[in-house]
Amino acid sequence: MKFNRKAFTDTQLLDIYRNLLKPRLIEEKMLIALRQGRISKWFSGYGQEAVSVGVTMAMHPNEYMLPMHRNLGIFTTRGIPLYNLFSQFQGKADGFTKGRDRSFHFGSKEHHIVGMISHLGPQMGIADGIALAGKLSKEKKATLVITGDGGASQGDFHEAINVAAVWDLPVIFLVENNHWGLSTPSSEQFKFRSFTYKAMGYGIKAKAVDGNNVLDVYQAVTDITTEIRENPGPYILECNTFRMRGHEEASGTKYYPDGLQEKWAKKDPVDNYRTFLLEKGILHPDENERLQEEIKKEINDAFEKAFVAPEIEFDKATEFADLYAPVKHELIDPSGEAKEARLVDAIHEGLKESMRKHNNLVIMGQDIAEYGGVFKVTEGFVEEFGKDRVRNTPLCEAAIVGSALGLSVGGYKAVMEMQFADFVTEGFNQIINNLAKIHWRWGQNADVVVRMPTGAGVAAGPFHSQSNEAWFTHTPGLKVVYPAFPEDAKGLLINAIDDPNPVMFFEHKALYRSIYGPVPEGYYHVPIGKANLIKEGNDISIITYGSGVHWALEYLNSKPGISADLIDLRTLQPLDREAIIASAKKTGRVVILQEDVMFGGIASDISSMIMEECFADLDAPVKRVASLDTPVPFAKALENEFLPKKRFAEAVEELLGF
């Protein structure tokens, strides 16, 4: 292996060696500890250290890096204390995830590192958002995200690079090409010879280097970052290397052809670089021995300290407390004059008030800029706020949700419009596994609102009409808001944007222009997690939300003799349990109405909760009313029978007669 020292001084070359040696010696320690049963699992980057060390030394310390399993050298070169690192590996309290996640599934805001999740590709979209935040702030920073050759087969790879290309984001997409995805060789992953060939299709630049040559990696990243800090735009950087150990130690390497590991052993990045330094007289053998012993002692001391640290103790209150970032803002009551407005107008005004309040708020979505969105919610926003903050997006839901999270990491707020709630499946992984879990895992908040135009009753068929809010109420870490009235919609949306946590904000399409009501002018909050008791009575409790509120009101107005509590939940997560339980105990009869299909809907959970906590107070079984357990049909006659409006009236009368 040839090393081109270029302008590197002897001191710099020795610093590189120290940084290269530390992850290698940790690797050796971890493999021994694994065999001894002192750690439970290990993802080895043995033989790939030059990639991690080279890129980290070339990046500025305040620039974000998004590593993967085999990038131990990024964490060590960024100076993460070994005691905390080993505590993380052993599930101890002083690890970065408090025992909630393992290995390298963590980040550190202090060290400008965002850790991966097991799904690999989703971190690439986050890198887009971090780079966008830096670009909007005119900080002249680069962002570097790593994926493997296997992970590059995922749709996240395409989406993230496409968005970065369209938006000219200063991101390096580093493909750590070790030629195997677990046991699958590259020949079964893709047909092209190099990832650099992909760049032409995106209209961006690319470079390939020997990933085992630390100086080549260092120089390549230095050259690219110098360029993109001044002239933002993405790069694909391919680093060719090899995984000497198994995907993780338990999987082994029996699938490797005979002689392959021996071939790559001759290209070992640490051994070759050490030989280079020794031959050039930059490193003396005695100094090498001293340095190795010094680092080994540092590793052993930190490992043993972590090993003997007390096992983490479960605390239920802490587990729930860490689920959400603290909400520090105080509620602002309405004070402006109320004017009659439609639901769509109220949402428009809530967004506009928030954009004026928060200069760091960015809204993103398909066709939301000049066109104003398919429902015209953001009409006129470009003229007032500009295209930097009102951003049309490619059809890349996963990358845009990831970008929203990246904006949060970069200190911004983000609102993403999912053009239809049905399309959320394209960004489901980012929402469920990144947005929802990131604060609980390592304390990074996700200051993101995902707007979800939802619901049936508009003859739009099965792909534009389904109610999918229950998917998200089932996911700890998300807040789920679903207003039924214009005043609530505006105040809840403003509150959701002020909230530093991820909020799924559902807006019923059929209510956009059919429901009117008084909406206060100005900036105000409606509390998240607090239901609204619209009507009070003693005969029966009707618990519902969204379109169900209006169906229930229509029915009760036609039946003035029925004395009912009508509860508009407004927020489905967190749920106002106190309001539900109090009403159920008061009336003894409960019907829960949802537009969602019956099986697996939130009505089932509310019913169970009432049965568990109010059984002795009930005078009749709890009744659920929902849409049919079929997809949403297109034809009006079919859709009317699919929806539960008629069946709701029957259920109320049945309960009252019980």
Side-chain angles (χ1 to χ4, degrees):
M1 188 179 296
K2 293 182 179 180
F3 293 93
N4 185 350
R5 64 174 295 172
K6 291 189 176 180
F8 291 108
T9 66
D10 287 358
T11 299
Q12 287 175 315
L13 293 172
L14 287 172
D15 283 344
I16 292 170
Y17 181 59
R18 290 188 189 94
N19 285 322
L20 203 57
L21 190 58
K22 183 176 284 189
R24 171 58 60 88
L25 294 177
I26 291 175
E27 288 275 2
E28 294 175 356
K29 175 71 176 180
M30 292 299 102
L31 293 173
I32 293 171
L34 187 67
R35 287 194 289 270
Q36 293 172 337
R38 303 180 85 190
I39 61 172
S40 61
K41 203 174 189 69
W42 183 247
F43 292 89
S44 177
Y46 197 107
Q48 297 182 205
E49 295 90 349
V51 176
S52 299
V53 173
V55 300
T56 310
M57 294 190 72
M59 296 287 288
H60 291 171
N62 65 348
E63 292 178 321
Y64 269 96
M65 303 182 70
L66 295 87
M68 293 188 65
H69 279 129
R70 303 183 211 293
N71 298 125
L72 170 63
I74 288 179
F75 296 90
T76 56
T77 305
R78 275 276 162 101
I80 286 185
L82 294 188
Y83 165 68
N84 300 107
L85 197 59
F86 293 144
S87 295
Q88 172 68 22
F89 297 158
Q90 297 176 47
K92 297 297 180 72
D94 288 329
F96 292 86
T97 63
K98 303 179 184 179
R100 294 169 182 157
D101 214 333
R102 64 185 186 184
S103 62
F104 299 103
H105 292 238
F106 73 93
S108 169
K109 290 182 277 190
E110 177 187 354
H111 298 92
H112 291 84
I113 292 174
V114 174
M116 62 176 292
I117 63 172
S118 293
H119 303 67
L120 308 179
Q123 65 190 32
M124 298 179 71
I126 301 175
D128 283 350
I130 294 171
L132 177 59
K135 185 177 179 180
L136 293 174
S137 300
K138 304 186 186 309
E139 293 177 332
K140 294 187 176 182
K141 290 181 180 178
T143 301
L144 185 141
V145 59
I146 297 179
T147 189
D149 48 301
S153 296
Q154 294 180 293
D156 291 270
F157 179 85
H158 160 74
E159 290 197 16
I161 295 177
N162 190 55
V163 169
V166 171
W167 288 353
D168 293 317
L169 299 178
V171 184
I172 299 175
F173 295 98
L174 191 154
V175 181
E176 196 170 30
N177 187 356
N178 60 26
H179 305 285
W180 291 80
L182 209 156
S183 68
T184 304
S186 293
S187 60
E188 297 178 25
Q189 289 276 3
F190 47 82
K191 286 293 185 182
F192 49 85
R193 291 177 57 191
S194 170
F195 281 91
T196 59
Y197 294 168
K198 284 184 171 287
M200 184 180 298
Y202 296 106
I204 65 174
K205 297 179 181 180
K207 184 177 287 189
V209 297
D210 180 352
N212 282 18
N213 188 318
V214 67
L215 297 188
D216 283 0
V217 174
Y218 191 135
Q219 192 61 55
V221 175
T222 298
D223 292 343
I224 295 171
T225 53
T226 300
E227 177 184 341
I228 66 177
R229 288 179 193 126
E230 294 296 328
N231 300 295
Y235 253 90
I236 293 175
L237 175 62
E238 181 177 17
C239 292
N240 286 290
T241 183
F242 184 73
R243 169 166 52 79
M244 293 296 293
R245 311 290 303 184
H247 170 72
E248 41 82 31
E249 283 304 303
S251 67
T253 58
K254 290 183 179 180
Y255 43 81
Y256 282 160
D258 290 342
L260 185 60
Q261 286 168 290
E262 289 74 11
K263 172 187 171 183
W264 278 95
K266 295 176 182 178
K267 300 178 182 181
D268 184 272
V270 180
D271 292 346
N272 277 278
Y273 188 67
R274 180 191 299 116
T275 299
F276 160 71
L277 295 179
L278 290 169
E279 288 178 349
K280 296 295 183 181
I282 299 168
L283 176 68
H284 191 275
D286 292 343
E287 174 65 11
N288 180 50
E289 290 297 322
R290 185 198 65 76
L291 187 60
Q292 292 206 46
E293 291 306 313
E294 177 186 299
I295 295 174
K296 284 180 180 179
K297 184 178 187 307
E298 179 189 1
I299 292 169
N300 288 331
D301 290 350
F303 182 89
E304 295 303 326
K305 180 182 177 183
F307 187 76
V308 300
E311 294 296 323
I312 198 163
E313 294 185 5
F314 173 75
D315 180 73
K316 185 177 180 180
T318 300
E319 294 301 299
F320 283 112
D322 288 348
L323 197 57
Y324 299 113
V327 177
K328 298 178 181 178
H329 67 268
E330 295 184 2
L331 290 178
I332 300 172
D333 292 328
S335 59
E337 180 183 349
K339 294 186 177 180
E340 197 77 2
R342 301 170 300 178
L343 186 76
V344 70
D345 302 323
I347 293 167
H348 173 94
E349 287 300 317
L351 270 180
K352 185 179 288 186
E353 291 283 354
S354 295
M355 288 288 280
R356 290 169 176 167
K357 173 87 169 180
H358 303 289
N359 290 329
N360 66 335
L361 173 60
V362 178
I363 58 178
M364 302 180 289
Q366 296 160 21
D367 305 296
I368 68 163
E370 291 86 352
Y371 189 67
V374 295
F375 299 106
K376 303 302 179 184
V377 172
T378 54
E379 192 167 30
F381 275 39
V382 166
E383 288 78 4
E384 181 171 352
F385 304 110
K387 290 201 70 171
D388 275 352
R389 296 181 61 203
V390 183
R391 305 185 75 89
N392 278 338
T393 70
L395 273 69
C396 296
E397 284 85 358
I400 302 306
V401 176
S403 295
L405 177 53
L407 281 168
S408 182
V409 173
Y412 278 72
K413 289 178 172 290
V415 172
M416 182 211 172
E417 178 183 299
M418 200 66 64
Q419 194 168 74
F420 290 86
D422 311 67
F423 298 169
V424 75
T425 49
E426 300 295 325
F428 198 68
N429 185 41
Q430 287 281 16
I431 294 169
I432 298 301
N433 288 309
N434 260 333
L435 292 187
K437 297 180 174 68
I438 197 165
H439 187 269
W440 181 79
R441 287 171 55 236
W442 56 275
Q444 170 62 55
N445 70 298
D447 202 338
V448 177
V449 174
V450 182
R451 292 184 43 240
M452 300 278 284
T454 189
V458 291
F463 304 119
H464 295 78
S465 306
Q466 61 193 314
S467 298
N468 51 22
E469 61 273 7
W471 297 354
F472 305 102
T473 60
H474 181 70
T475 304
L478 298 175
K479 296 185 179 183
V480 181
V481 175
Y482 201 142
F485 296 97
E487 179 178 358
D488 288 342
K490 180 179 176 180
L492 283 167
L493 181 56
I494 290 173
N495 198 1
I497 292 169
D498 279 344
D499 195 309
N501 294 286
V503 179
M504 306 300 294
F505 194 89
F506 285 83
E507 307 164 9
H508 201 292
K509 303 188 300 292
L511 303 183
Y512 269 151
R513 290 171 170 82
S514 64
I515 297 300
Y516 292 75
V519 178
E521 293 184 325
Y523 198 88
Y524 67 91
H525 294 138
V526 171
I528 292 174
K530 185 71 174 175
N532 186 22
L533 183 60
I534 296 175
K535 283 182 173 289
E536 291 191 62
N538 298 306
D539 296 342
I540 192 169
S541 298
I542 300 170
I543 300 167
T544 187
Y545 59 95
S547 56
V549 178
H550 300 284
W551 294 335
L553 276 172
E554 182 182 336
Y555 173 76
L556 291 175
N557 289 337
S558 71
K559 302 284 185 179
I562 297 177
S563 175
D565 268 4
L566 175 56
I567 296 177
D568 175 8
L569 293 172
R570 299 194 297 195
T571 301
L572 307 184
Q573 188 65 264
L575 194 64
D576 190 346
R577 294 169 177 264
E578 291 77 12
I580 294 169
I581 297 303
S583 180
K585 287 185 175 182
K586 181 181 75 171
T587 68
R589 289 178 170 84
V590 181
V591 60
I592 308 162
L593 172 62
Q594 66 184 29
E595 183 179 324
D596 194 6
V597 299
M598 179 72 82
F599 195 86
I602 193 171
S604 299
D605 285 292
I606 295 174
S607 174
S608 295
M609 180 180 69
I610 293 170
M611 291 297 290
E612 289 170 0
E613 299 191 31
C614 309
F615 183 75
D617 301 284
L618 296 176
D619 297 318
V622 176
K623 192 79 173 174
R624 297 172 297 149
V625 185
S627 293
L628 300 180
D629 285 319
T630 71
V632 186
F634 160 65
K636 194 66 178 174
L638 299 179
E639 188 180 46
N640 287 342
E641 295 303 318
F642 163 84
L643 292 169
K645 186 175 179 180
K646 293 180 181 177
R647 294 187 293 278
F648 167 68
E650 296 168 359
V652 171
E653 290 159 13
E654 179 184 338
L655 275 184
L656 290 173
F658 191 85

